Amino acid sequence: MADCIFCKIAAGEIPSTKVYEDETVLAFRDLDPQAPAHVLIIPKEHIASAADITPENSAVVAHIFEVAAKLSVELGLDKGFRIVNNCGEDLQPFILLVMEKRRFVQLF
């Protein structure tokens, strides 16, 4: 997709700090990390959102999770990590965020 920032990153049009790349996905460090280890994993083929996962592209999504598992070891996240995906209007296309597990304050 021409106006997708993540497609431009995957195509090398916008620089990123790569931590993993193969023919299907690209993983890179977040520019504004919310945890010491905060990596984005994106498919090189545009998937608009998790709501657009189909039998035709589900192998790419499965591969993204395989890469997340591999990177969790390489990033030393043996005490745990979070995987986040946002889906909805005005949000980025399908990406996974792999972040070091943090404690959250319980409000109730």
Side-chain angles (χ1 to χ4, degrees):
M1 176 173 254
D3 61 343
C4 173
I5 189 168
F6 294 102
C7 289
K8 291 178 180 179
I9 292 169
E13 297 170 19
I14 296 175
S16 64
T17 306
K18 296 177 187 178
V19 295
Y20 178 86
E21 183 175 21
D22 64 25
E23 63 281 343
T24 310
V25 303
L26 172 67
F28 56 95
R29 296 198 181 276
D30 195 297
L31 288 177
D32 185 24
Q34 303 302 303
H38 186 164
V39 173
L40 286 75
I41 307 172
I42 61 173
K44 290 187 174 180
E45 126 191 1
H46 185 85
I47 300 175
S49 78
D52 295 305
I53 297 171
T54 66
E56 291 76 29
N57 64 20
S58 63
V60 173
V61 176
H63 183 60
I64 289 172
F65 278 92
E66 292 168 2
V67 170
K70 173 183 169 60
L71 289 176
S72 71
V73 173
E74 292 178 7
L75 295 170
L77 303 177
D78 55 327
K79 293 184 180 176
F81 60 96
R82 297 182 322 143
I83 293 180
V84 178
N85 172 257
N86 297 309
C87 183
E89 194 172 322
D90 298 327
L91 293 172
Q92 65 267 8
F94 183 79
I95 62 171
L96 281 189
L97 308 171
V98 177
M99 300 190 308
E100 185 172 1
K101 184 176 84 171
R102 299 186 302 183
R103 286 186 161 276
F104 290 93
V105 176
Q106 186 171 348
L107 299 177
F108 302 99

